[in-house]
Amino acid sequence: MAIHKLKVWSEYMDDLINGNKSFEVRLNDRNFQVGDTLILMEFNKDKKEYLDRELKVKITYILDNSVFDAIKDGFVVMGIKRV
Protein backbone atom coordinates (compact mmCIF):
# COMPACT_ATOMS: atom_id res chain seq x y z
CA MET A 1 0.00 0.00 0.00
CA ALA A 2 1.37 3.36 -1.04
CA ILE A 3 1.31 6.70 0.75
CA HIS A 4 0.54 9.79 -1.35
CA LYS A 5 1.01 13.38 -0.14
CA LEU A 6 -1.47 15.67 -1.89
CA LYS A 7 -2.31 19.36 -1.79
CA VAL A 8 -5.88 20.29 -0.85
CA TRP A 9 -7.11 23.83 -1.35
CA SER A 10 -8.22 25.56 1.85
CA GLU A 11 -11.86 25.86 0.77
CA TYR A 12 -12.20 22.05 0.82
CA MET A 13 -10.32 21.29 4.04
CA ASP A 14 -13.14 21.98 6.53
CA ASP A 15 -15.52 19.66 4.67
CA LEU A 16 -12.88 16.93 4.58
CA ILE A 17 -12.13 17.27 8.28
CA ASN A 18 -15.78 17.25 9.40
CA GLY A 19 -16.68 14.36 7.07
CA ASN A 20 -19.00 16.21 4.69
CA LYS A 21 -16.62 15.51 1.79
CA SER A 22 -15.82 11.80 1.60
CA PHE A 23 -14.26 11.68 -1.86
CA GLU A 24 -11.40 13.10 -3.90
CA VAL A 25 -11.31 13.65 -7.66
CA ARG A 26 -7.77 13.50 -9.01
CA LEU A 27 -5.68 12.93 -12.07
CA ASN A 28 -4.55 9.34 -11.68
CA ASP A 29 -0.89 10.12 -12.21
CA ARG A 30 0.11 8.05 -9.16
CA ASN A 31 -1.73 4.80 -9.89
CA PHE A 32 -3.98 5.20 -6.84
CA GLN A 33 -5.23 1.90 -5.40
CA VAL A 34 -7.86 0.90 -2.82
CA GLY A 35 -6.06 0.67 0.52
CA ASP A 36 -3.53 3.42 -0.25
CA THR A 37 -3.11 6.23 2.28
CA LEU A 38 -3.53 9.86 1.31
CA ILE A 39 -1.96 12.62 3.38
CA LEU A 40 -4.11 15.63 2.46
CA MET A 41 -2.20 18.81 3.20
CA GLU A 42 -3.97 22.16 3.25
CA PHE A 43 -2.66 24.56 0.62
CA ASN A 44 -3.49 28.23 0.13
CA LYS A 45 -3.67 28.57 -3.66
CA ASP A 46 -3.55 32.38 -3.58
CA LYS A 47 -0.44 32.63 -1.40
CA LYS A 48 1.00 29.41 -2.87
CA GLU A 49 1.91 28.02 0.52
CA TYR A 50 1.08 25.08 2.75
CA LEU A 51 -0.86 25.73 5.94
CA ASP A 52 -0.72 23.75 9.19
CA ARG A 53 -3.66 21.40 8.74
CA GLU A 54 -3.43 17.93 7.26
CA LEU A 55 -5.63 14.87 7.22
CA LYS A 56 -4.76 11.19 6.84
CA VAL A 57 -7.29 9.08 4.93
CA LYS A 58 -7.50 5.66 3.27
CA ILE A 59 -8.83 5.07 -0.22
CA THR A 60 -11.89 2.83 0.12
CA TYR A 61 -13.21 2.92 -3.45
CA ILE A 62 -12.04 3.99 -6.90
CA LEU A 63 -14.25 4.90 -9.85
CA ASP A 64 -12.75 5.63 -13.27
CA ASN A 65 -13.95 5.91 -16.83
CA SER A 66 -13.61 2.16 -17.43
CA VAL A 67 -16.70 1.81 -15.23
CA PHE A 68 -18.41 5.18 -15.68
CA ASP A 69 -17.71 6.98 -18.93
CA ALA A 70 -18.72 10.43 -17.61
CA ILE A 71 -15.39 10.58 -15.75
CA LYS A 72 -12.72 12.26 -17.84
CA ASP A 73 -10.06 9.90 -19.15
CA GLY A 74 -7.10 9.68 -16.78
CA PHE A 75 -9.04 10.86 -13.73
CA VAL A 76 -10.46 8.94 -10.76
CA VAL A 77 -13.05 9.56 -8.11
CA MET A 78 -11.83 8.05 -4.84
CA GLY A 79 -13.99 7.23 -1.88
CA ILE A 80 -12.00 8.06 1.26
CA LYS A 81 -12.27 7.36 4.98
CA ARG A 82 -10.44 9.13 7.78
CA VAL A 83 -7.96 7.03 9.73
Side-chain angles (χ1 to χ4, degrees):
M1 305 295 164
I3 298 173
H4 308 277
K5 292 185 175 184
L6 302 172
K7 293 177 187 173
V8 173
W9 290 348
S10 294
E11 58 260 34
Y12 302 116
M13 198 64 175
D14 285 335
D15 285 332
L16 283 163
I17 289 171
N18 66 27
N20 288 337
K21 185 175 182 281
S22 58
F23 65 91
E24 275 294 303
V25 179
R26 297 285 176 147
L27 176 65
N28 194 12
D29 58 350
R30 300 173 186 230
N31 191 29
F32 296 111
Q33 300 291 317
V34 170
D36 285 358
T37 299
L38 305 179
I39 307 296
L40 303 175
M41 303 176 303
E42 185 175 13
F43 187 78
N44 182 308
K45 65 182 176 181
D46 297 322
K47 294 181 180 179
K48 297 185 180 5
E49 65 184 14
Y50 287 97
L51 303 176
D52 292 334
R53 297 190 299 174
E54 64 179 45
L55 182 66
K56 184 177 181 181
V57 299
K58 287 271 189 194
I59 299 173
T60 60
Y61 188 83
I62 294 180
L63 184 64
D64 62 19
N65 73 339
S66 70
V67 178
F68 187 61
D69 62 2
I71 297 172
K72 188 174 180 179
D73 190 34
F75 283 78
V76 290
V77 178
M78 298 177 282
I80 56 174
K81 183 176 183 178
R82 190 174 185 165
V83 292

